[in-house]
Amino acid sequence: MAPMALPLTVGFDLDMTLIDSRPGIRAAYRALSAETGVRIDADLAVTRLGPPLEQELAHWFPADRIRGAADRYREIYPAYAIGPTPAMPGAREAIQAVRAAGGRAVVVTAKHEPNAKLHLAHLGIEPDAVIGWLWAEAKAEALREHGARVYVGDHVGDVRGARAAGALAVCVPTGPCGADELRAAGADVVLADLTAFSAWWDDYRADFA
């Protein structure tokens, strides 16, 4: 097989791939509910993370209030969501493994980009680039721009984004989608979680040595 052009770029999703955003998002939804007087079942909402915020808010707010609610959620998000949100097991090591091999690690997420950057800075995770506001097939825009050959995510939307970009879809069933669902959606590789990424990465790179 022909040698791979370097640097090899790997894209990563954020929520439920690199970070366990459920505690922080739950707190932010509860704060938004208290402020607006609109009931939001935060425990239910955090079981379906992945799609853009507006899709979740549509379950709770009338159409003419969704945009304002989304704007306000993003404003209060840093105060409620950054501190309680931990890194997923293996997240730091996965980013480090890519960069230690001379590759580039980029985060491509549907999350509001400034808040995504706050999470990563708070946790000391340092990718080469962070691109927000992209969901499912739209993620392919950033993946192609950065030349990503691999995209790592937890949702069937991430599989769709990887395939649209012509990238290898590597998935972890640590979010709302189980391993069988991810495989059925077309995932090329399903790892138990990111703690398995470094060993997989070593094998993957060896194929191009």
Side-chain angles (χ1 to χ4, degrees):
M1 188 173 293
M4 179 177 293
L6 294 176
L8 173 59
T9 298
V10 179
F12 291 87
D13 177 50
L14 183 65
D15 287 351
M16 304 311 300
T17 299
L18 290 175
I19 64 173
D20 184 352
S21 50
R22 292 171 297 183
I25 289 177
R26 184 183 291 111
Y29 275 135
R30 287 175 175 167
L32 181 67
S33 179
E35 184 176 299
T36 61
V38 174
R39 177 185 175 274
I40 301 173
D41 186 339
D43 290 326
L44 174 59
V46 298
T47 67
R48 48 195 185 199
L49 299 179
L53 170 65
E54 287 80 1
Q55 289 189 27
E56 180 61 41
L57 293 179
H59 293 289
W60 313 107
F61 289 84
D64 62 348
R65 294 188 62 187
I66 291 172
R67 181 173 180 178
D71 289 344
R72 183 57 182 154
Y73 173 94
R74 292 180 177 117
E75 288 173 357
I76 66 175
Y77 187 94
Y80 291 95
I82 303 302
T85 298
M88 295 293 279
R92 293 183 181 87
E93 292 81 359
I95 298 289
Q96 290 167 357
V98 172
R99 300 188 73 187
R104 299 179 70 250
V106 299
V107 173
V108 183
T109 174
K111 189 179 288 295
H112 183 54
E113 188 174 303
N115 288 340
K117 290 178 177 178
L118 287 175
H119 275 299
L120 294 165
H122 177 75
L123 293 170
I125 297 174
E126 299 180 349
D128 294 280
V130 180
I131 306 94
W133 303 302
L134 296 176
W135 161 242
E137 288 84 356
K139 292 187 173 188
E141 300 170 17
L143 295 174
R144 286 193 297 262
E145 180 182 347
H146 287 270
R149 294 176 181 255
V150 177
Y151 186 57
V152 184
D154 67 282
H155 198 282
V156 295
D158 298 323
V159 177
R160 286 155 44 198
R163 296 180 72 85
L168 193 75
V170 177
C171 291
V172 285
T174 49
C177 301
D180 290 342
E181 184 179 2
L182 293 165
R183 291 190 186 97
D188 297 294
V189 177
V190 178
L191 306 173
D193 57 33
L194 280 185
T195 63
F197 177 84
S198 293
W200 173 84
W201 171 243
D202 287 342
D203 289 342
Y204 176 72
R205 290 190 303 109
D207 288 341
F208 296 91

